[in-house]
Amino acid sequence: RKPQTKAAMASRSAVGALASSVVRRAMMNNSSSASLTQARRFAAGGHGPGQTYAGLTLHEPPFIYKALGQLAGATMWFWVFYRFYHDGDAFINGHDSHWMHDLIEEEKKKLKA
């Protein structure tokens, strides 16, 4: 295990103290269900029942994450097809040899003259 810096240890203890104070406050005030829900949400709970597989509970992601995932996937495929449209010949046939560019330019000059 790597030795931790003083700043890392201090931040870790501050987060632990905050989490324990929220949970302690919620347990002391059992009459208030709002604080208990707040403590559960702080500890990554309160998202509904979810599905449990081999002891791991998976929750349904919020709509915004689903939408952002769809947007990222659509952007990726748009970019792949766009590049294939513009560079598909090089992808299928390979790049031209370096001397072919000179020959093509010479032929263009001959056609213009």
Side-chain angles (χ1 to χ4, degrees), residues 87-107:
D87 297 334
D89 190 41
F91 178 72
I92 293 172
N93 300 325
H95 292 287
D96 290 335
S97 300
H98 61 88
W99 63 83
M100 291 298 293
H101 299 290
D102 295 335
L103 295 175
I104 292 170
E105 290 300 319
E106 286 176 12
E107 287 180 18

Side-chain angles (χ1 to χ4, degrees), residues 3-89:
Q4 294 181 351
T5 63
K6 289 183 180 181
M9 291 186 339
S11 66
R12 180 178 261 176
S13 65
V15 169
L18 177 65
S20 64
S21 69
V22 169
V23 171
R24 193 176 323 116
R25 211 175 307 137
M27 292 177 133
M28 289 176 150
N29 191 5
N30 284 338
S31 62
S32 173
S33 64
S35 61
L36 192 59
T37 304
Q38 178 186 6
R40 268 191 253 127
R41 284 194 179 142
F42 184 77
H47 298 289
Q51 294 286 331
T52 302
Y53 301 100
L56 175 67
T57 302
L58 303 173
H59 298 284
E60 186 72 19
F63 174 76
I64 187 70
Y65 295 125
K66 290 180 187 178
L68 288 174
Q70 290 285 325
L71 179 66
T75 303
M76 180 212 45
W77 282 113
F78 173 76
W79 181 251
V80 166
F81 290 135
Y82 176 81
R83 293 311 311 162
F84 186 77
Y85 176 76
H86 288 282
D87 297 334
D89 190 41

